[in-house]
Amino acid sequence: MKVIRLETQLLPMIKLDQYLGGSFQYALQSVERFGHETTLQAFHLNAVDSIYLSGRLLLRNYQQFFDKGFKGIVLLTDPYYELATRIAILKRMARSTPKFLGDRDRLMLNPAAQFFEDLDLDDPAAINRSLRKAPEKVRNVLISPTTRQLACSTPEQLPTRREIAAAIDLLSRFEIVGHNNDTLPFANAISELLGVETNGMLIAEPHVLVERLAGTLRTMPIAELLLEDDLIFDYYVRQATQLRHSQLS
Protein backbone atom coordinates (compact mmCIF):
# COMPACT_ATOMS: atom_id res chain seq x y z
CA MET A 1 0.00 0.00 0.00
CA LYS A 2 1.05 3.60 -0.62
CA VAL A 3 -0.13 6.18 1.90
CA ILE A 4 0.22 9.93 2.31
CA ARG A 5 -0.79 11.36 5.68
CA LEU A 6 -1.35 15.05 5.25
CA GLU A 7 -0.22 16.94 8.35
CA THR A 8 -2.42 19.94 9.07
CA GLN A 9 -0.77 21.01 12.30
CA LEU A 10 2.37 23.10 12.64
CA LEU A 11 3.33 20.75 15.49
CA PRO A 12 3.62 17.36 13.74
CA MET A 13 2.36 14.06 15.14
CA ILE A 14 5.80 12.45 15.09
CA LYS A 15 4.99 9.46 17.31
CA LEU A 16 1.98 8.52 15.19
CA ASP A 17 4.13 8.62 12.05
CA GLN A 18 6.82 6.48 13.68
CA TYR A 19 4.25 3.88 14.66
CA LEU A 20 2.45 3.75 11.31
CA GLY A 21 5.61 4.07 9.23
CA GLY A 22 7.04 0.94 10.85
CA SER A 23 4.56 -1.17 8.87
CA PHE A 24 5.93 -0.03 5.49
CA GLN A 25 9.04 -0.80 3.44
CA TYR A 26 9.78 2.90 2.99
CA ALA A 27 8.68 5.67 5.33
CA LEU A 28 9.50 9.37 5.36
CA GLN A 29 7.87 11.85 7.73
CA SER A 30 7.71 15.65 7.68
CA VAL A 31 8.60 15.57 4.00
CA GLU A 32 8.05 19.33 3.67
CA ARG A 33 11.43 19.82 5.36
CA PHE A 34 13.22 18.41 2.30
CA GLY A 35 11.72 20.61 -0.40
CA HIS A 36 9.60 19.98 -3.46
CA GLU A 37 12.11 17.98 -5.55
CA THR A 38 12.92 15.49 -2.79
CA THR A 39 9.23 15.07 -2.01
CA LEU A 40 8.50 14.34 -5.67
CA GLN A 41 11.25 11.70 -5.70
CA ALA A 42 9.64 10.00 -2.70
CA PHE A 43 6.27 9.91 -4.48
CA HIS A 44 7.98 8.54 -7.62
CA LEU A 45 9.53 5.45 -5.99
CA ASN A 46 7.85 3.17 -8.51
CA ALA A 47 9.99 0.16 -7.59
CA VAL A 48 8.61 0.26 -4.03
CA ASP A 49 4.98 -0.67 -3.48
CA SER A 50 4.94 -0.12 0.30
CA ILE A 51 5.37 3.60 1.02
CA TYR A 52 4.33 5.82 3.91
CA LEU A 53 4.80 9.59 3.57
CA SER A 54 3.64 12.34 5.87
CA GLY A 55 4.02 16.10 5.87
CA ARG A 56 2.54 19.58 5.88
CA LEU A 57 2.41 19.70 2.09
CA LEU A 58 0.67 22.04 -0.32
CA LEU A 59 -1.23 19.05 -1.61
CA ARG A 60 -2.45 20.64 -4.81
CA ASN A 61 1.09 20.12 -6.14
CA TYR A 62 0.86 16.36 -5.50
CA GLN A 63 -2.80 15.54 -6.09
CA GLN A 64 -1.96 13.54 -9.22
CA PHE A 65 -0.56 10.79 -7.01
CA PHE A 66 -4.07 9.90 -5.85
CA ASP A 67 -4.43 8.56 -9.41
CA LYS A 68 -1.21 6.56 -9.02
CA GLY A 69 -2.13 4.38 -6.09
CA PHE A 70 -1.68 6.64 -3.06
CA LYS A 71 -4.34 6.64 -0.34
CA GLY A 72 -4.78 9.81 1.70
CA ILE A 73 -5.14 10.10 5.48
CA VAL A 74 -5.76 13.39 7.27
CA LEU A 75 -6.69 14.52 10.78
CA LEU A 76 -8.14 18.01 10.56
CA THR A 77 -7.68 20.48 13.40
CA ASP A 78 -10.10 22.95 14.91
CA PRO A 79 -9.09 26.29 13.32
CA TYR A 80 -8.90 28.20 16.62
CA TYR A 81 -6.84 25.47 18.24
CA GLU A 82 -4.39 25.50 15.34
CA LEU A 83 -4.13 29.30 15.48
CA ALA A 84 -3.40 29.04 19.21
CA THR A 85 -0.76 26.38 18.54
CA ARG A 86 0.92 28.55 15.94
CA ILE A 87 1.03 31.62 18.15
CA ALA A 88 2.48 29.57 21.05
CA ILE A 89 5.16 27.98 18.82
CA LEU A 90 6.03 31.30 17.20
CA LYS A 91 6.50 32.88 20.60
CA ARG A 92 8.98 30.13 21.56
CA MET A 93 10.77 30.24 18.20
CA ALA A 94 12.47 33.55 18.98
CA ARG A 95 14.50 31.75 21.66
CA SER A 96 14.77 28.23 20.28
CA THR A 97 13.86 27.03 16.77
CA PRO A 98 12.03 23.67 16.81
CA LYS A 99 13.89 20.85 15.05
CA PHE A 100 10.78 19.78 13.14
CA LEU A 101 10.83 22.96 11.02
CA GLY A 102 12.71 23.02 7.73
CA ASP A 103 14.82 25.91 6.47
CA ARG A 104 12.04 27.38 4.32
CA ASP A 105 9.58 27.30 7.20
CA ARG A 106 12.06 29.00 9.50
CA LEU A 107 12.62 31.76 6.98
CA MET A 108 8.91 32.37 6.49
CA LEU A 109 8.03 32.17 10.18
CA ASN A 110 10.93 34.21 11.56
CA PRO A 111 9.23 37.64 11.24
CA ALA A 112 6.20 36.31 13.13
CA ALA A 113 8.42 34.71 15.77
CA GLN A 114 10.11 38.04 16.43
CA PHE A 115 6.76 39.82 16.51
CA PHE A 116 5.24 37.48 19.13
CA GLU A 117 8.42 37.07 21.22
CA ASP A 118 7.26 39.29 24.10
CA LEU A 119 3.54 38.59 23.86
CA ASP A 120 1.85 37.69 27.15
CA LEU A 121 -0.38 34.72 26.28
CA ASP A 122 -2.34 35.21 29.50
CA ASP A 123 -3.40 38.73 28.52
CA PRO A 124 -6.39 38.68 26.11
CA ALA A 125 -6.16 42.42 25.47
CA ALA A 126 -2.48 42.12 24.51
CA ILE A 127 -3.23 39.21 22.18
CA ASN A 128 -6.04 41.14 20.52
CA ARG A 129 -3.83 44.21 20.02
CA SER A 130 -1.01 42.10 18.58
CA LEU A 131 -3.26 40.39 16.04
CA ARG A 132 -4.89 43.67 15.02
CA LYS A 133 -1.54 45.44 14.59
CA ALA A 134 0.34 42.51 13.04
CA PRO A 135 2.18 43.44 9.81
CA GLU A 136 1.39 41.62 6.59
CA LYS A 137 4.26 39.11 6.89
CA VAL A 138 2.97 38.07 10.29
CA ARG A 139 -0.70 37.87 9.35
CA ASN A 140 0.09 35.84 6.24
CA VAL A 141 1.45 32.89 8.23
CA LEU A 142 -1.76 32.74 10.28
CA ILE A 143 -4.41 33.04 7.56
CA SER A 144 -6.52 29.86 7.06
CA PRO A 145 -3.62 27.37 6.89
CA THR A 146 -5.71 24.25 6.15
CA THR A 147 -7.52 25.74 3.16
CA ARG A 148 -4.15 26.92 1.87
CA GLN A 149 -2.67 23.44 2.16
CA LEU A 150 -5.45 21.88 0.16
CA ALA A 151 -6.09 24.57 -2.46
CA CYS A 152 -2.97 26.74 -2.93
CA SER A 153 0.16 25.84 -4.85
CA THR A 154 2.74 28.18 -3.27
CA PRO A 155 3.38 29.20 0.38
CA GLU A 156 2.92 32.86 -0.55
CA GLN A 157 -0.52 32.35 -2.13
CA LEU A 158 -3.40 33.44 0.08
CA PRO A 159 -6.75 31.63 -0.14
CA THR A 160 -9.92 33.31 -1.28
CA ARG A 161 -13.51 32.17 -0.83
CA ARG A 162 -13.21 30.28 -4.13
CA GLU A 163 -10.52 28.01 -2.68
CA ILE A 164 -12.92 26.52 -0.13
CA ALA A 165 -14.72 24.48 -2.78
CA ALA A 166 -11.41 23.36 -4.26
CA ALA A 167 -10.19 22.32 -0.80
CA ILE A 168 -13.34 20.28 -0.13
CA ASP A 169 -13.07 18.68 -3.57
CA LEU A 170 -9.49 17.53 -2.92
CA LEU A 171 -10.42 16.35 0.57
CA SER A 172 -13.08 14.10 -0.96
CA ARG A 173 -10.28 12.03 -2.49
CA PHE A 174 -8.94 11.01 0.92
CA GLU A 175 -9.47 7.50 2.21
CA ILE A 176 -9.70 8.66 5.84
CA VAL A 177 -10.74 12.09 7.13
CA GLY A 178 -10.75 12.65 10.89
CA HIS A 179 -11.09 15.63 13.19
CA ASN A 180 -9.20 16.38 16.37
CA ASN A 181 -12.43 16.99 18.29
CA ASP A 182 -13.03 13.21 18.19
CA THR A 183 -9.99 11.09 17.33
CA LEU A 184 -11.41 7.62 18.09
CA PRO A 185 -13.17 7.16 14.70
CA PHE A 186 -9.93 8.33 13.04
CA ALA A 187 -7.85 5.76 14.93
CA ASN A 188 -10.36 2.98 14.21
CA ALA A 189 -10.40 3.81 10.49
CA ILE A 190 -6.58 3.68 10.32
CA SER A 191 -6.60 0.36 12.17
CA GLU A 192 -9.04 -1.08 9.66
CA LEU A 193 -7.15 0.25 6.64
CA LEU A 194 -3.62 -0.68 7.70
CA GLY A 195 -4.29 -3.65 9.99
CA VAL A 196 -2.53 -2.13 13.00
CA GLU A 197 -3.58 -1.97 16.65
CA THR A 198 -5.19 1.24 17.87
CA ASN A 199 -3.42 0.99 21.28
CA GLY A 200 -0.11 1.82 19.60
CA MET A 201 -1.38 5.00 17.98
CA LEU A 202 -0.19 7.99 19.96
CA ILE A 203 -2.47 10.78 18.77
CA ALA A 204 -1.64 13.92 20.72
CA GLU A 205 -4.35 15.03 23.14
CA PRO A 206 -5.29 18.72 23.21
CA HIS A 207 -2.89 20.74 25.37
CA VAL A 208 -4.62 22.50 28.26
CA LEU A 209 -2.80 25.81 27.82
CA VAL A 210 -3.34 25.80 24.05
CA GLU A 211 -7.02 25.00 24.58
CA ARG A 212 -7.25 27.98 26.92
CA LEU A 213 -5.62 30.25 24.34
CA ALA A 214 -7.95 28.89 21.65
CA GLY A 215 -10.92 29.76 23.86
CA THR A 216 -9.62 33.31 24.19
CA LEU A 217 -9.18 33.59 20.42
CA ARG A 218 -12.79 32.48 19.84
CA THR A 219 -13.96 35.75 21.39
CA MET A 220 -11.92 37.95 19.02
CA PRO A 221 -13.31 39.21 15.68
CA ILE A 222 -9.74 39.61 14.36
CA ALA A 223 -9.10 35.88 14.89
CA GLU A 224 -12.34 35.04 13.08
CA LEU A 225 -11.23 37.25 10.21
CA LEU A 226 -7.84 35.51 9.96
CA LEU A 227 -9.52 32.09 9.96
CA GLU A 228 -12.57 32.93 7.86
CA ASP A 229 -11.95 30.40 5.07
CA ASP A 230 -10.87 27.63 7.46
CA LEU A 231 -13.96 28.18 9.63
CA ILE A 232 -16.26 27.78 6.63
CA PHE A 233 -14.27 24.77 5.42
CA ASP A 234 -14.33 23.22 8.90
CA TYR A 235 -18.09 23.70 9.22
CA TYR A 236 -18.88 21.86 5.98
CA VAL A 237 -16.42 19.05 6.72
CA ARG A 238 -17.91 18.50 10.18
CA GLN A 239 -21.43 18.42 8.73
CA ALA A 240 -20.38 15.83 6.14
CA THR A 241 -18.53 13.76 8.75
CA GLN A 242 -21.52 13.72 11.12
CA LEU A 243 -23.82 12.70 8.28
CA ARG A 244 -21.51 9.85 7.29
CA HIS A 245 -21.23 8.60 10.88
CA SER A 246 -25.03 8.64 11.27
CA GLN A 247 -25.44 6.68 8.02
CA LEU A 248 -22.87 4.07 9.12
CA SER A 249 -24.51 3.67 12.53
Side-chain angles (χ1 to χ4, degrees):
M1 190 180 297
K2 297 180 179 182
V3 169
I4 170 65
R5 187 185 76 79
L6 182 66
E7 181 63 82
T8 62
Q9 302 180 68
L10 186 59
L11 182 63
M13 292 191 288
I14 295 173
K15 291 183 178 179
L16 175 63
D17 286 331
Q18 290 172 341
Y19 177 68
L20 298 181
S23 299
F24 292 78
Q25 284 181 288
Y26 179 84
L28 185 63
Q29 64 188 51
S30 298
V31 290
E32 78 280 353
R33 293 176 300 157
F34 307 108
H36 179 62
E37 293 302 322
T38 301
T39 301
L40 276 179
Q41 290 174 15
F43 274 108
H44 277 299
L45 290 172
N46 296 324
V48 183
D49 57 10
S50 174
I51 300 174
Y52 179 87
L53 305 176
S54 71
R56 199 166 22 84
L57 298 173
L58 294 171
L59 202 63
R60 184 175 179 180
N61 296 324
Y62 309 96
Q63 62 181 330
Q64 69 269 27
F65 293 100
F66 285 118
D67 298 322
K68 298 179 180 180
F70 274 86
K71 299 181 184 296
I73 294 175
V74 63
L75 180 68
L76 299 172
T77 309
D78 173 81
Y80 286 107
Y81 186 86
E82 178 58 21
L83 178 59
T85 300
R86 287 177 177 244
I87 291 173
I89 290 175
L90 289 166
K91 177 177 168 58
R92 293 179 58 186
M93 266 186 66
R95 296 178 176 83
S96 175
T97 303
K99 294 181 180 179
F100 57 80
L101 292 176
D103 291 339
R104 182 163 189 169
D105 273 332
R106 294 176 189 178
L107 186 64
M108 289 189 63
L109 296 176
N110 189 55
Q114 293 178 359
F115 181 79
F116 289 119
E117 179 179 4
D118 299 319
L119 178 63
D120 183 356
L121 298 184
D122 293 319
D123 185 344
I127 296 170
N128 190 45
R129 282 196 305 270
S130 292
L131 292 178
R132 291 175 63 87
K133 295 180 179 180
E136 185 177 3
K137 282 188 177 182
V138 175
R139 291 167 65 93
N140 285 355
V141 302
L142 303 175
I143 292 174
S144 295
T146 302
T147 304
R148 292 170 78 167
Q149 275 190 254
L150 288 163
C152 297
S153 54
T154 68
E156 297 79 14
Q157 183 182 348
L158 295 178
T160 65
R161 193 64 59 86
R162 292 176 303 180
E163 268 71 57
I164 298 172
I168 292 173
D169 182 61
L170 183 52
L171 189 70
S172 70
R173 305 195 65 182
F174 277 71
E175 195 81 11
I176 298 173
V177 177
H179 200 285
N180 75 333
N181 68 337
D182 185 7
T183 59
L184 183 58
F186 177 71
N188 289 337
I190 292 179
S191 175
E192 184 177 341
L193 178 67
L194 303 184
V196 296
E197 296 293 330
T198 56
N199 0 343
M201 292 184 212
L202 296 176
I203 302 173
E205 294 292 326
H207 194 284
V208 175
L209 295 178
V210 178
E211 281 274 33
R212 187 187 306 164
L213 177 56
T216 299
L217 292 169
R218 289 178 197 279
T219 67
M220 299 180 183
I222 181 60
E224 182 180 357
L225 182 63
L226 290 170
L227 298 174
E228 185 175 13
D229 294 330
D230 270 8
L231 290 171
I232 297 171
F233 172 80
D234 187 70
Y235 170 79
Y236 282 114
V237 171
R238 287 201 200 203
Q239 292 295 309
T241 301
Q242 291 171 5
L243 177 61
R244 184 177 182 183
H245 286 168
S246 64
Q247 290 173 340
L248 291 175
S249 60

